[in-house]
Amino acid sequence: GLEVDRARIEVAGKVGEETHKAVEQLELARARIALATALKRKEDQAARDVIAEALAGAEAIEWHEPGLNDAYANAAEFGYGKLGVLEMALQQNSAQIAVVRDGGGPRVALAAPVMEDGRVLTLVYVRLPVETVTAPVQAAALPGGYLALRQGRHTISQVGDAALAGM
């Protein structure tokens, strides 16, 4: 009833906050001149540091060329979810977030184009632990209720009475 609804709203708010915060942090980092400068000078560690500073807890930071040719050539191996979030970032010209299968399981993936003078230098891909979005779900107290975090039809995390999942 009401308690479960309240918990749902609270959890949705917290998950929304976490995802919004991560997107915002990547947006700020991708706009930093230090990032474009490091990339142009091929100073990989300095470029990584700009992203790592913005997104503490990053499990992986990768650079992908804007054409995504290597990714398309081996899409299954590269990962469809990962490719999808990179494509969205390119199309929307902004930081994008999704839960994808990467690093052996579900992870939070962020991607964004790094621009300079109106052109895309590279795409940055950042992998975060899935707990970034599942922690608020797992922390929810639901006596006699059920709560799931889903992306499309895929359940990422759930708590409570799983028999209520179909409701």
Side-chain angles (χ1 to χ4, degrees):
L2 202 60
E3 222 174 300
V4 174
D5 287 345
R6 206 174 292 127
R8 257 192 204 118
I9 291 164
E10 194 178 310
V11 168
K14 284 181 187 162
V15 170
E17 241 170 70
E18 288 305 314
T19 57
H20 183 75
K21 192 169 74 182
V23 166
E24 218 168 55
Q25 286 164 331
L26 186 56
E27 277 294 347
L28 290 170
R30 83 179 183 112
R32 290 195 49 207
I33 291 161
L35 180 60
T37 303
L39 287 165
K40 282 199 342 222
R41 289 182 180 159
K42 308 238 181 282
E43 293 170 358
D44 187 60
Q45 196 51 57
R48 281 172 189 282
D49 290 346
V50 172
I51 301 297
E53 244 170 63
L55 290 155
E59 294 178 344
I61 297 167
E62 300 170 4
W63 314 106
H64 296 283
E65 47 88 29
L68 293 168
N69 298 323
D70 296 344
Y72 285 117
N74 299 302
E77 198 180 307
F78 185 82
Y80 295 110
K82 186 175 172 178
L83 183 55
V85 78
L86 283 159
E87 279 178 340
M88 277 296 286
L90 203 52
Q91 287 165 7
Q92 304 293 324
N93 188 26
S94 65
Q96 298 293 316
I97 190 167
V99 173
V100 304
R101 186 159 288 288
D102 189 19
R107 295 291 193 281
V108 172
L110 287 143
V114 180
M115 312 288 290
E116 197 202 38
D117 298 331
R119 72 182 186 94
V120 180
L121 284 179
T122 187
L123 292 168
V124 62
Y125 173 84
V126 185
R127 190 175 76 215
L128 297 173
V130 76
E131 288 73 28
T132 307
V133 293
T134 61
V137 178
Q138 294 303 319
L142 286 173
Y146 173 79
L147 178 67
L149 176 64
R150 294 194 179 106
Q151 182 171 268
R153 286 188 291 237
H154 181 71
T155 299
I156 297 160
S157 182
Q158 57 185 359
V159 288
D161 183 358
L164 300 172
M167 303 286 208

